[in-house]
């Protein structure tokens, strides 16, 4: 199981890095999502991998899973979810204002004060 | 246990919610409420600074769960100083936004501003690494909204870069925190310091890797080489009060390095002690040189000020990297100076941009500024202070850092980099000052550009009150240095910090 979890974290991170380095915004957003998946699995495994052990007190249990990483993963999921929603909206806004989905907004009208004085 | 410690976190949170409620009653009510809240935060900042000045590390256990099981807020001199500095800068930025009506260019400016303060104060007061991550996310999410406030294509593009790079930073933060937790089994900074010092030798590789990964995250926030490329464009394109307020954002990264790395990898950490120091010094010096070149190459005043912010952070990182109490104390003095002055300079750049009409803040020769006398005086004042010339506070800060560097083996490198960067910055500021204020009047006398607006008196007063901190920091340099030296000494006494946070009787919070 250790090998499986470690490989999946590695593969997801690698794909995430590759996608984040793409030039259009959509692959970047997908890459960020993969990053957050990789982070979640990684955080989870940092509480040591145990199968079938309860996280809360159970008189019949002989070993426990670490509950703290599970709480951390929950927090991280919520935050990553909100951030993904935000970055999608921002990417759409950039697509709208710059006229294309290139991360550097190629060819868009970048006059410095546009929208500021309006 | 005193409840004062949590108030700087609660006040902006409640304030932000209140701002949301009163949104329908118009901007003027939001402005009054915002200024009232920011003023209250300044008063609170002074109060907790007085509490911290007594010299003890004060701990507030949330929900009365004893550390390291619950989350603890920790107040010492450094956190109190940062909270007060933030609130002063926030008051000025918010006041400017109200006077210049920047807040009507988009919705929710006041709500986001309060939530940004909530995140900042939380980050300065927390004693738990994961809680630090959560507060980082709060302040970042608010900062995304503030950075994009007012829209415009250039701002959206800069905002996209800022958001994506900070999301990657957040992912790395979680990797680092997860690895640290896996290695030592705790998230409380004090407990972590204790466990790292006692960690078996075969774990030290993992701990070092996690610690350096965490340094990458904080260096990204602090904009250290090679992770600074997002800063100039984001700051140059943000609206003025936001850019001024963001002068504190890079200092959050610096604070986190001092707090987390300084405590966990302090002198007691055995073979891992000071593992971040050489990186900070080298990274700081490279950033300083590149920032000075950026100041030279900037095409507009706001871009130039953004590079000046970068230069001040770089000086600060190098001062921390010297790994001496005197250098840290001088660095903290420099932090106070550079944050307030950079904030003032961003506001000033905005007034100059407005008064030049179509030419904006580009260094072109155009018709002269209307009513530019006070703008010119302010520019001169801010330029002298930020370039580090006597008699302003930048000079004192820099000379104390260099003085502390004299016993470091890299002293010649530090001296060369700092002094040549100062020279380049000074030349660049002289050049931009003459472009903005002298040359136009020779070339285009009599054909003043009518599209510019003369600066508002109230806005000039706000900038003046920020600029006046430079001579004040010189006048009271003795007292301020005494305080920062005490702060630096307190930061080096890691065992006392651990004792304050962990070894409290379980009933201490019951009152």
């Amino acid at each position: 199981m250790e090998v499986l979890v470690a490989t999946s974290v590695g593969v997801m991170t690698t794909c995430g890095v590759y996608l984040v380095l793409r030039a259009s915004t959509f692959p970047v957003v997908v890459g960020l999502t993969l990053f957050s998946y990789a982070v979640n699995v990684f955080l989870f495994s940092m509480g040591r991998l145990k199968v079938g052990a309860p996280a809360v007190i159970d008189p019949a249990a002989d070993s426990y899973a670490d509950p703290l990483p599970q709480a951390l993963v929950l927090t991280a999921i919520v935050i990553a979810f909100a951030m993904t929603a935000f970055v999608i909206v921002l990417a759409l806004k950039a697509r709208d204002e710059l006229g294309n989905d290139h991360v550097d907004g190629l060819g868009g009208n970048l006059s410095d004060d546009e929208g500021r004085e309006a | 246990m005193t409840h004062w410690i949590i108030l700087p976190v609660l006040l902006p949170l409640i304030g932000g919610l209140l701002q949301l409620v009163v949104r329908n009653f118009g901007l003027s009510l939001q402005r009054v409420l915002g200024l009232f809240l920011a003023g209250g935060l300044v008063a609170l900042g002074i109060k907790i600074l007085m509490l911290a000045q007594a010299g003890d590390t004060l701990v507030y256990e949330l929900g009365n769960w004893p550390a390291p099981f619950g989350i603890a807020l920790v107040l010492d001199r450094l956190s109190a100083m940062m909270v007060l500095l933030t609130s002063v800068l926030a008051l000025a930025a918010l006041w400017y936004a109200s006077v210049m009506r920047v807040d009507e260019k988009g919705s929710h400016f006041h709500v986001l501003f309060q939530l940004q303060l909530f995140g900042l104060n939380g980050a300065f007061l927390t004693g738990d690494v994961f809680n630090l991550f959560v507060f980082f996310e709060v302040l970042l999410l608010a900062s995304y909204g503030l950075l994009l406030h007012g829209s415009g294509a250039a701002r959206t593009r800069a905002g996209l870069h800022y958001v994506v790079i900070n999301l990657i930073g957040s992912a790395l933060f979680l990797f680092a925190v997860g690895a640290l937790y896996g290695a030592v089994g705790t998230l409380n900074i004090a407990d972590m310091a204790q466990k790292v010092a006692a960690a078996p030798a075969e774990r030290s590789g993992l701990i070092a890797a996690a610690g350096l990964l965490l340094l990458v995250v904080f260096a990204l926030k602090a904009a250290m080489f090679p992770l600074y490329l997002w800063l100039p464009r984001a700051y140059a394109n943000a609206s003025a009060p936001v850019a001024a307020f963001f002068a504190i954002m890079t200092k959050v990264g610096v604070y986190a390095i001092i707090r987390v790395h300084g405590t966990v990898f302090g002198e007691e950490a055995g073979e891992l002690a000071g593992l971040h120091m050489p990186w900070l010094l080298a990274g700081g010096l490279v950033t300083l040189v590149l920032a000075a070149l950026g100041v030279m190459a900037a095409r507009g005043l706001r871009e130039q000020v953004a590079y000046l912010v970068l230069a001040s952070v770089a000086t600060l990182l190098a001062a921390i990297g010297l790994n001496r109490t005197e250098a840290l104390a001088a660095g903290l003095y420099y932090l106070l100076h550079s944050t307030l002055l950079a904030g003032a300079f961003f506001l000033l750049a905005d007034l100059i941009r407005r008064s030049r009409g179509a030419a904006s803040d580009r260094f072109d020769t155009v018709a002269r500024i209307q009513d530019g006398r006070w703008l010119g005086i302010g520019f001169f004042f801010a330029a002298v202070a930020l370039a580090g010339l006597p008699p302003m506070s930048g000079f004192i800060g820099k000379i104390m850092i260099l003085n502390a560097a004299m016993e470091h083996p890299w002293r010649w490198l530090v001296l060369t980099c700092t002094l040549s960067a100062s020279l380049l910055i000074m030349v660049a500021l002289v050049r931009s000052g003459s472009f903005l204020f002298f040359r136009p009047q020779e070339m285009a006398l009599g054909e003043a550009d009518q599209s510019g607006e003369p600066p508002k008196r109230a806005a000039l007063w706000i900038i003046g009150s920020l600029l006046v901190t430079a001579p004040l920091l010189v006048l009271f340099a003795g007292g301020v240095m005494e305080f920062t030296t005490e702060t630096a000494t307190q930061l080096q006494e890691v065992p006392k910090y651990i004792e304050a946070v962990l070894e409290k009787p379980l009933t201490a919070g019951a009152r």
Side-chain angles (χ1 to χ4, degrees), chain B residues 120-197:
Chain B
L120 282 167
N121 285 349
F124 290 142
L125 286 170
T126 187
D128 182 283
V129 183
F130 196 79
N131 201 228
L132 183 68
F133 165 76
V134 174
F135 277 120
F136 262 50
E137 290 305 305
V138 171
L139 75 90
L140 283 175
L141 198 48
S143 78
Y144 303 153
L146 282 178
L147 186 71
L148 294 164
H149 176 80
S151 60
R155 201 170 289 175
T156 306
R157 185 176 69 155
L160 189 65
H161 293 179
Y162 177 75
V163 171
V164 169
I165 197 154
N166 274 305
L167 286 180
I168 296 170
S170 302
L172 289 180
F173 199 155
L174 280 177
F175 272 126
V177 167
L180 272 177
Y181 180 79
V184 297
T186 182
L187 290 167
N188 184 290
I189 297 173
D191 198 24
M192 200 179 270
Q194 211 175 29
K195 297 265 166 67
V196 165

Side-chain angles (χ1 to χ4, degrees), chain A residues 46-84:
Chain A
M46 277 300 119
R48 306 295 182 270
L49 297 166
K50 277 182 189 157
V51 180
V56 285
I57 295 175
D58 178 1
D62 50 357
S63 79
Y64 289 101
D66 191 346
L68 193 69
Q70 306 185 6
L72 301 188
V73 169
L74 265 183
T75 318
I77 288 175
V78 175
I79 292 177
F81 188 64
M83 291 298 177
T84 309

Side-chain angles (χ1 to χ4, degrees), chain B residues 79-275:
Chain B
S79 348
M81 183 183 99
M82 295 305 290
V83 168
L84 182 60
L85 179 66
T86 310
S87 57
V88 170
L89 193 66
L91 181 63
L94 200 58
W95 195 3
Y96 183 90
S98 304
V99 167
M100 300 304 287
R101 303 179 173 277
V102 180
D103 50 357
E104 56 188 31
K105 299 257 165 68
S107 48
H108 297 306
F109 179 85
H110 291 281
V111 181
L112 289 169
F113 201 90
Q114 293 296 330
L115 290 180
Q116 169 97 60
L117 277 172
F118 165 61
L120 282 167
N121 285 349
F124 290 142
L125 286 170
T126 187
D128 182 283
V129 183
F130 196 79
N131 201 228
L132 183 68
F133 165 76
V134 174
F135 277 120
F136 262 50
E137 290 305 305
V138 171
L139 75 90
L140 283 175
L141 198 48
S143 78
Y144 303 153
L146 282 178
L147 186 71
L148 294 164
H149 176 80
S151 60
R155 201 170 289 175
T156 306
R157 185 176 69 155
L160 189 65
H161 293 179
Y162 177 75
V163 171
V164 169
I165 197 154
N166 274 305
L167 286 180
I168 296 170
S170 302
L172 289 180
F173 199 155
L174 280 177
F175 272 126
V177 167
L180 272 177
Y181 180 79
V184 297
T186 182
L187 290 167
N188 184 290
I189 297 173
D191 198 24
M192 200 179 270
Q194 211 175 29
K195 297 265 166 67
V196 165
E202 73 264 19
R203 283 274 168 83
S204 63
L206 180 60
I207 297 173
L212 288 177
L213 191 59
L214 205 54
L215 184 68
V216 170
V217 179
F218 295 151
L220 173 72
K221 312 281 187 228
M224 186 172 90
F225 174 82
L227 302 165
Y228 71 90
L229 295 166
W230 57 272
L231 184 137
R233 192 181 271 167
Y235 280 35
N237 284 306
S239 59
V242 174
F245 190 37
F246 277 15
I248 195 80
M249 290 280 284
T250 47
K251 311 303 192 284
V252 180
V254 176
Y255 167 84
I257 291 173
I258 299 177
R259 172 64 73 218
V260 178
H261 288 85
T263 310
V264 176
F265 302 108
E267 279 169 21
E268 282 76 24
E271 57 176 309
L272 291 172
L275 101 146

Side-chain angles (χ1 to χ4, degrees), chain B residues 135-488:
Chain B
F135 277 120
F136 262 50
E137 290 305 305
V138 171
L139 75 90
L140 283 175
L141 198 48
S143 78
Y144 303 153
L146 282 178
L147 186 71
L148 294 164
H149 176 80
S151 60
R155 201 170 289 175
T156 306
R157 185 176 69 155
L160 189 65
H161 293 179
Y162 177 75
V163 171
V164 169
I165 197 154
N166 274 305
L167 286 180
I168 296 170
S170 302
L172 289 180
F173 199 155
L174 280 177
F175 272 126
V177 167
L180 272 177
Y181 180 79
V184 297
T186 182
L187 290 167
N188 184 290
I189 297 173
D191 198 24
M192 200 179 270
Q194 211 175 29
K195 297 265 166 67
V196 165
E202 73 264 19
R203 283 274 168 83
S204 63
L206 180 60
I207 297 173
L212 288 177
L213 191 59
L214 205 54
L215 184 68
V216 170
V217 179
F218 295 151
L220 173 72
K221 312 281 187 228
M224 186 172 90
F225 174 82
L227 302 165
Y228 71 90
L229 295 166
W230 57 272
L231 184 137
R233 192 181 271 167
Y235 280 35
N237 284 306
S239 59
V242 174
F245 190 37
F246 277 15
I248 195 80
M249 290 280 284
T250 47
K251 311 303 192 284
V252 180
V254 176
Y255 167 84
I257 291 173
I258 299 177
R259 172 64 73 218
V260 178
H261 288 85
T263 310
V264 176
F265 302 108
E267 279 169 21
E268 282 76 24
E271 57 176 309
L272 291 172
L275 101 146
H276 56 297
M277 292 300 180
W279 295 97
L280 282 183
L281 185 54
L285 291 178
V286 175
T287 319
L288 184 58
V289 172
L290 289 174
L293 292 176
V295 172
M296 289 290 279
R299 284 156 301 173
L301 183 57
R302 284 176 298 166
E303 193 184 343
Q304 193 164 49
V305 183
Y307 274 110
L308 284 174
V309 170
L310 196 56
S312 72
V313 173
T315 313
L316 206 49
L317 289 170
I320 300 169
L322 288 171
N323 200 5
R324 297 195 52 203
T325 314
E326 295 86 357
L328 187 56
L332 293 174
Y333 177 89
Y334 193 76
L335 185 150
L336 288 174
H337 144 85
S338 65
T339 310
L340 293 170
L341 267 290
F345 214 158
F346 268 120
L347 300 181
L348 191 69
D350 187 53
L351 278 191
I352 293 173
R353 181 187 67 81
R354 284 166 189 266
S355 66
R356 294 180 89 219
S360 186
D361 64 340
R362 286 190 304 276
F363 297 137
D364 297 334
T365 311
V366 289
R368 68 160 157 173
I369 296 177
Q370 301 179 31
D371 197 12
R373 186 169 19 126
W374 288 107
L375 290 180
I377 293 172
F379 180 89
F380 179 70
F381 213 77
V384 167
L386 271 176
L389 294 180
M392 293 302 185
S393 47
F395 173 72
I396 298 198
K398 256 184 200 162
I399 206 151
M400 285 189 303
I401 292 174
L402 292 182
N403 205 13
M406 286 322 283
E407 284 169 29
H408 196 276
W410 292 15
R411 58 182 172 275
W412 296 114
L413 192 62
V414 177
L415 274 179
T416 317
C417 289
T418 318
L419 293 178
S420 48
S422 296
L423 179 69
L424 287 179
I425 288 172
M426 192 179 69
V427 170
L429 284 173
V430 166
R431 197 192 51 165
S432 47
S434 42
F435 253 118
L436 293 169
F437 295 103
F438 289 138
R439 228 188 279 180
Q441 303 192 350
E442 290 167 11
M443 305 271 294
L445 204 61
E447 38 178 310
D449 181 1
Q450 294 304 320
S451 60
E453 47 178 308
K456 281 192 184 168
R457 232 347 98 74
L460 284 173
W461 274 110
I462 299 164
I463 294 169
S465 61
L466 277 179
L467 285 180
V468 88
T469 54
L472 282 181
L473 276 173
V474 175
L475 273 180
F476 299 105
V480 177
M481 261 317 276
E482 200 176 308
F483 175 78
T484 56
T485 308
E486 282 172 1
T487 311

